[in-house]
Amino acid sequence: MIAKAEPQEHMRRKRDAYWADLVGGVTGRYKTEQVARLLEGHQLPEDSAVVDVGAGTSGLGDMVAELGGAARIIRVDYDEGIVATGRAAETDPAVEWRVADARDLASWSDRVGAVTYFDILHELYSFVGREGENPAVDHARGRAAVEEALSAAAKLLAPGGVLVITDDVLPEEEVTVGVACLRTEIAELVRRIEGEYRSRPLEIRWLDDHTFELPARTFITLLTHYNKPKVGDEARWSVEQMEVHEYMKVSEYESFLRSAGLTPRIAAGTPPEALAEWRADFEVLSGLDDFPLKRVAVVAVK
Ligand SMILES: C[S@@+](CC[C@H](N)C(=O)[O-])C[C@H]1O[C@@H](n2cnc3c(N)ncnc32)[C@H](O)[C@@H]1O
């Protein structure tokens, strides 16, 4: 097993900047709809539990339990503070809270009908993927940590059980994209992010004051993060600077999950509000026909 990271700094920053958006905002609504659609009509194995990994403060695991008819919910987080607060406030006897790392599931013996990862795998990728003091995430190392967690979960699932994943997604196309900033403030913002973001080199090549080229895989990273400093949300920007949100393409989810013995259903798309904001700030000039897709939702059946 890959050594566990100790992302204390991340936990500290996040406690100061915990975001409601992941559950109730644009992203929260979008991912809830995507997952509900993919899960429609799927009955979870009888008497099984939903294990919501990286549950944080969200109740999205409850939706999966309700839709699939699960008997119990086990909320898991490696942040002891989150678990202690959740446990103290819990009134539902069918809900249990556990402190555990996403990769600990290999040693569990519960009867599990669903394991859910709502916007947590990118954290595993980012923190385990970093070696020593190097601020850049090593892709192979991060990816191996994600695969280790998903493989353990796939083994734990009872037949007919599901893995559920939501996150940001890498574009399929490995191309260089030409981009124009539509206002001077946006060009200045891109230069700021270029200077401050260390988790993945953005590889931006400026062509003039307002126009640049970069790989499609870092264009989506830029699009994911730029609106936090844009609106002055410095607390959230300080958290997200430590993260890479995009670690797999749709085709990579597909092939990895099949090799783990699961049958995936996958939906990829962009929340309309995010697309409207991108269109107001940038224009795609070359390389792609349009902006890359932002979000992925996966339901993989055992
Ligand atoms: C971005 S939040 C998402 C919270 C919630 N699932 C949602 O969608 O709103 C990620 C959560 O995963 C937890 N987390 C990150 N890495 C983890 C790991 N390796 N094992 C367990 N929990 C982890 C964090 O503490 C945090 O609560």
Side-chain angles (χ1 to χ4, degrees):
M1 178 167 170
I2 296 168
K4 287 178 187 159
E6 299 277 359
Q8 298 301 332
E9 173 62 9
H10 182 260
M11 283 191 200
R12 190 189 63 70
R13 288 193 199 186
K14 191 182 240 170
R15 287 208 182 116
D16 294 340
Y18 215 87
W19 47 86
D21 182 50
L22 275 174
V23 184
V26 167
T27 307
R29 286 195 299 275
Y30 190 77
K31 73 187 184 196
T32 304
E33 281 166 22
Q34 278 188 318
V35 168
R37 215 172 318 117
L38 291 173
L39 268 175
E40 208 176 324
H42 188 84
Q43 198 58 34
L44 296 177
E46 218 172 304
D47 281 332
S48 65
V50 170
V51 178
D52 188 6
V53 183
T57 52
S58 112
L60 278 169
D62 302 25
M63 176 186 79
V64 175
E66 239 167 75
L67 287 174
R72 300 194 296 139
I73 300 169
I74 304 172
R75 296 211 176 117
V76 180
D77 208 289
Y78 71 174
D79 184 329
E80 291 177 17
I82 285 180
V83 172
T85 309
R87 195 180 276 146
E90 192 58 71
T91 53
D92 185 346
V95 178
E96 182 191 337
W97 285 82
R98 289 186 195 170
V99 176
D101 185 274
R103 292 163 293 157
D104 290 347
L105 271 56
S107 60
W108 289 21
S109 56
D110 303 75
R111 179 166 165 76
V112 171
V115 183
T116 64
Y117 303 90
F118 292 110
D119 290 83
I120 172 229
L121 290 174
H122 68 260
E123 294 196 9
L124 187 62
Y125 173 86
S126 300
F127 298 117
V128 181
R130 249 186 213 102
E131 245 181 317
E133 297 299 300
N134 189 349
V137 176
D138 179 84
H139 178 70
R141 205 179 144 86
R143 181 70 202 262
V146 170
E147 291 186 4
E148 184 181 338
L150 294 179
S151 300
K155 284 199 191 102
L156 180 64
L157 281 177
V162 292
L163 276 191
V164 181
I165 300 164
T166 64
D167 224 321
D168 291 324
V169 68
L170 278 177
E172 227 37 67
E173 305 88 343
E174 293 185 15
V175 292
T176 298
V177 191
V179 183
C181 302
L182 298 181
R183 294 190 307 284
T184 300
E185 314 87 89
I186 297 298
E188 283 166 359
L189 189 61
V190 172
R191 287 183 198 279
R192 176 181 163 192
I193 293 169
E194 195 183 3
E196 292 179 6
Y197 186 68
R198 297 266 174 272
S199 295
R200 167 181 286 164
L202 293 176
E203 298 175 46
I204 293 176
R205 193 167 76 85
W206 287 91
L207 303 177
D208 61 38
D209 280 356
H210 287 73
T211 314
F212 59 90
E213 285 182 342
L214 80 177
R217 72 171 195 292
T218 61
F219 185 31
I220 189 62
T221 303
L222 174 67
L223 291 170
T224 293
H225 293 307
Y226 88 103
N227 61 351
K228 283 80 186 187
K230 177 181 153 188
V231 297
D233 191 346
E234 297 300 330
R236 183 156 169 194
W237 171 227
S238 85
V239 172
E240 291 201 356
Q241 272 186 60
M242 301 178 72
E243 303 176 350
V244 177
H245 285 204
E246 303 81 11
Y247 49 85
M248 272 205 222
K249 303 174 187 178
V250 167
S251 59
E252 290 174 324
Y253 278 111
E254 175 95 32
S255 58
F256 174 73
L257 291 166
R258 284 195 187 282
S259 73
L262 307 175
T263 306
R265 302 178 197 160
I266 303 183
T270 305
E273 297 87 342
L275 191 58
E277 183 174 18
W278 297 349
R279 289 202 199 292
D281 292 335
F282 299 102
E283 186 183 349
V284 175
L285 300 174
S286 60
L288 293 173
D289 293 336
D290 201 352
F291 289 92
L293 299 178
K294 177 163 169 52
R295 300 282 310 170
V296 69
V298 178
V299 169
V301 184
K302 183 161 173 178

